[in-house]
Structures are given as C-alpha cells and as structure tokens.
Amino acid sequence: MISKQLANQIVEQTMIRLHRNINVMNTNGMILASGDQLRVESIHEGAKIVAESEKPLIITEQNMHLFPKSKPGINLPIFFQNELVGVVGITGDPNEILEIGTLVQLTTEMMVHQALIASQSEWKRKMRERVFDDLLNEEPMDPVMNERFSKVSFVPEPPFYLTIIKATPKSLAYQTFVEYLEDFFIHESVLIGKYQLDEFFILTSGIKEEIVKKNLASLVKHIKKYANIKIGVGQAVDDLSKIRYAYDTAKIAIDYSEPTQITTFFEQVELYSLLKKKDSPEAQQFTHRIFKDVNIKLLHTLEEYFHCNQQLYLTAEVLDIHRHTLSYRLNQIYEQTGYNPTVFQEAIVLQIALWLSKEYKRKECH
C-alpha cells in the first residue's frame, strides 16, 4: 500500500513537471494526496472503479455524473510487483492529457517501486540486526527465531564465521556502508548489519574458511578507499548458540592485532589472549580444540617430552619405551592436533595448551 508520505511526494514531484492537478488514491478509493487539499481524505468514486477493475478509467463531462465528487480526467492503476497498490489521477480534459497519462503512470510506479523497495530493505536490515542481537543474548533457537531467519534469507548451516569491522567511512557515492556490504555478499547466506556506533558485523553460514579468507581479502581491496577499517574474525563455531563466543573472539582479534594489519583472525592472536586469564572461555576452548582427540597416554608422553627438552633418547628412557615407539607417539600427536611437537613454533602451542589444560592436570597419568 502507498503511504500518505509517499503519496505527497508523488503529487509534489509530478505537479512540478506537469502543471496539472494530481490525485493519489489508495485501493479503497480514498484520496491520500492531491494538489487540491480540500479533496484529501475524501472518496474518489472513479478510483474505486479502477481499483476493482485494475484498468484505466476516463471521466468526461458526459459521464462524470456517474462518479459523485469526481472531476474530468484520467485515473490509472498503480502496480508494484504485479500487485495493485493504488491509483493515480490526472485532473483535466481527457483529450488534452491522454498522451501524458501513460508517462504519469510509469513515473508513479517507478517512484512507488523505489520507495517500497527501500522500505523493504530497511525492514530487513532492522530484522537482521534484531536477529543478531538475539543471538548475542543467547536467545533459544525456537520456531520464532527460525521464522526470522527465513524472513531475512538466512539459512543456518555450520560452520559459522563472525567478522567484526570497526569502520570510519570516508564516503560512499550512492549507498551506506551497510548497503555496500550487503551488495558485496549478495549471493551468500549471511547476516550483515550495524551493531554499535562504528562496529559492523558479517555472520556467514555454511562457508568454508578458505572462502571466508578470499572474500575478506577481496572486500578489503575494494573498501579501503571508502573507509578506514579494522577487521577481526572470530573462532568458527558449529552452533548458533555459540555466537557470543564468536563475537568475543572477533573483538579480541581486533584488540590484539598488529597496528598495520587490517584483517586478523582470532587464531593469529589466540596465544596472546590466553595468557590474560587461564580460566577464560578462550583458554578452555583452546585446550579442547587442541587435545580433543588426544588420549591420556599421548598427553603424558608429550609432557615428558617437553620436560626432557625434546630429547628423544632421554624421553624414551624416562618413559621406559623404545625411541621408535616414542617417535610413533609424537607422530600420532601431530596427526591428531595438527601441531608437530618436534618443531619449535608448533611445540610452543602444544606446551601452552598443556599448561592451560585443567582437565589433563586433574587426571592421573599411567
């Protein structure tokens, strides 16, 4: 339906160009806006006929008695996405205004289309931001939430990557910063919006890490000229109930990033953040991620290996096992964690994980 505000804009803009009285009516025939203010909110009988038939109606001096309170002119249906949303009328001698009728109809439909599309986009934008806020507040995944996902075209499929952008837009030629992001990710299942004054979020669904990295690299390349930005990507999560954790880790990625680095993934600064608080959710998640597939025997082997300063013969002697058995266990640790205990940089990750692993420290090693 056409709002009064939009109807007034149509009348104002059209009359400036045509110098003819224009009426805009709703589908019930009520005049929403008119160059003749006295006619506003009255019923236009001709518009009612147009709304019912969805066809143009010409009112002349000869037939105007059939349409009380109507004046000679042309009345035309206004459609939006093949649905009747209103009627526009041009007052005057039909013979004089017949040629401009189609032009007025087309212009009005273009204005309606632009306004309603903008209105729908704004509604969807607010709905996305509401959904994101609900996820951060850990609202239950109930039918209401699923309905909201559907309305904003978000298909919840793991993995979920949350990207936070701290941005100070310089300028955008024809659209806001959020609209720019929406256009960039137009073919993805994604939630995009503004969360705080200078903070924007991108929550992707069902997209692998390599694609996320590729998309962000392309985004940075295109967006640097529009805004000063700092991007943090949180730890990937497999459930929407963990979005708060993804958000917190994305913020940490920004806070601990290098000053000259635009995009930082949480994993790149994970070790720094862990040292601030041993019992933090980040520390617990870290140790679980590293050691989730590693059994007690291998953990004990790893600890003794580090106690012996990564010396194979000494560690094998302490554990009373053959050095080939030790090498086999170390290789198993590499396969199960993705970190090689014989490589210095990767051994650091494993050592810190051992230090922070409360579960391991509580267990008796055999």
Side-chain angles (χ1 to χ4, degrees):
M1 295 291 289
I2 298 177
S3 66
K4 281 193 173 185
Q5 181 180 9
L6 176 56
N8 280 315
Q9 292 175 357
I10 293 171
V11 168
E12 180 181 346
Q13 293 300 317
T14 308
M15 288 184 63
I16 289 175
R17 292 161 177 77
L18 294 183
H19 305 291
R20 297 276 185 175
N21 181 60
I22 301 294
N23 302 311
V24 176
M25 287 75 70
N26 64 18
T27 54
N28 294 320
M30 186 179 76
I31 299 178
L32 299 174
S34 173
D36 182 356
Q37 291 297 315
L38 295 177
R39 301 187 69 187
V40 174
E41 296 190 357
S42 64
I43 296 298
H44 191 295
E45 296 296 334
K48 289 175 64 177
I49 300 297
V50 173
E52 292 171 1
S53 66
E54 298 188 356
K55 295 179 180 180
L57 173 68
I58 298 176
I59 299 178
T60 64
E61 293 286 351
Q62 289 70 36
N63 68 0
M64 62 181 295
H65 65 281
L66 300 175
F67 310 100
K69 298 183 181 179
S70 298
K71 295 182 179 181
I74 301 174
N75 299 279
L76 302 153
I78 302 303
F79 295 96
F80 173 71
Q81 296 180 345
N82 298 318
E83 181 181 348
L84 183 78
V85 294
V87 178
V88 61
I90 313 168
T91 304
D93 185 345
N95 294 321
E96 296 178 2
I97 61 177
L98 190 60
E99 292 184 0
I100 64 172
T102 301
L103 178 60
V104 170
Q105 183 185 33
L106 178 61
T107 302
T108 302
E109 287 185 340
M110 289 177 62
M111 293 179 68
V112 168
H113 183 272
Q114 183 177 14
L116 293 183
I117 287 293
S119 177
Q120 288 181 357
S121 297
E122 182 62 24
W123 179 87
K124 282 190 174 182
R125 191 167 297 120
K126 290 180 179 178
M127 179 61 74
R128 291 189 190 102
E129 291 172 356
R130 179 176 179 179
V131 167
F132 182 70
D133 192 56
D134 286 344
L135 290 174
L136 285 187
N137 291 326
E138 300 176 333
E139 295 292 333
M141 296 294 109
D142 55 17
V144 174
M145 183 69 81
N146 289 327
E147 183 180 352
R148 290 174 182 168
F149 288 154
S150 177
K151 288 182 178 179
V152 295
S153 303
F154 183 73
V155 181
E157 294 180 356
F160 301 102
Y161 280 90
L162 178 58
T163 299
I164 298 298
I165 303 178
K166 300 278 285 186
T168 306
K170 299 174 184 177
S171 64
L172 289 174
Y174 66 96
Q175 52 193 174
T176 67
F177 190 78
V178 172
E179 288 172 333
Y180 185 93
L181 295 176
E182 289 173 345
D183 285 349
F184 190 88
F185 290 94
I186 195 168
H187 298 300
E188 313 285 357
S189 175
V190 62
L191 288 180
I192 293 173
K194 187 173 184 179
Y195 184 59
Q196 295 181 358
L197 181 62
D198 62 345
E199 186 176 293
F200 303 84
F201 64 86
I202 304 170
L203 175 61
T204 60
S205 168
I207 301 176
K208 295 182 179 179
E209 181 180 6
E210 55 267 28
I211 302 300
V212 172
K213 289 182 177 180
K214 181 179 179 181
N215 285 344
L216 288 178
S218 180
L219 175 65
V220 168
K221 181 180 178 181
H222 287 87
I223 214 169
K224 283 192 299 184
K225 57 186 176 182
Y226 295 125
N228 297 313
I229 57 175
K230 198 76 170 173
I231 299 175
V233 185
Q235 175 74 56
V237 296
D238 57 4
D239 195 294
L240 287 175
S241 63
K242 301 176 182 177
I243 292 303
R244 166 53 69 175
Y245 172 76
Y247 174 78
D248 291 339
T249 52
K251 296 277 284 185
I252 288 171
I254 292 178
D255 293 340
Y256 285 82
S257 63
E258 294 292 333
T260 58
Q261 190 168 350
I262 294 179
T263 303
T264 303
F265 281 72
F266 172 68
E267 290 82 356
Q268 295 174 271
V269 298
E270 189 174 11
L271 293 180
Y272 303 129
S273 69
L274 296 177
L275 299 178
K276 66 180 182 178
K277 191 177 180 183
K278 279 190 174 184
D279 59 352
S280 68
E282 294 88 2
Q284 296 174 28
Q285 178 70 16
F286 172 70
T287 55
H288 172 72
R289 180 170 66 83
I290 299 296
F291 292 143
K292 64 180 179 179
D293 298 322
V294 182
N295 62 38
I296 291 297
K297 182 172 67 176
L298 291 179
L299 285 174
H300 181 51
T301 300
L302 182 63
E303 185 174 61
E304 291 301 332
Y305 178 64
F306 288 151
H307 284 168
C308 296
N309 294 319
Q310 297 175 287
Q311 297 181 54
L312 286 173
Y313 285 97
L314 181 57
T315 306
E317 183 178 343
V318 170
L319 292 174
D320 194 23
I321 59 176
H322 195 278
R323 63 184 181 87
H324 292 320
T325 302
L326 175 59
S327 296
Y328 173 76
R329 290 184 185 180
L330 294 177
N331 188 58
Q332 280 188 303
I333 292 170
Y334 180 28
E335 291 177 352
Q336 293 174 16
T337 66
Y339 294 91
N340 190 340
T342 66
V343 175
F344 175 74
Q345 293 289 347
E346 297 181 33
I348 291 177
V349 177
L350 293 170
Q351 178 64 86
I352 292 176
L354 278 174
W355 287 337
L356 296 175
S357 178
K358 291 182 178 181
E359 180 182 1
Y360 170 65
K361 290 178 180 179
R362 284 198 301 264
K363 293 179 179 177
E364 183 180 356
C365 298
H366 299 282

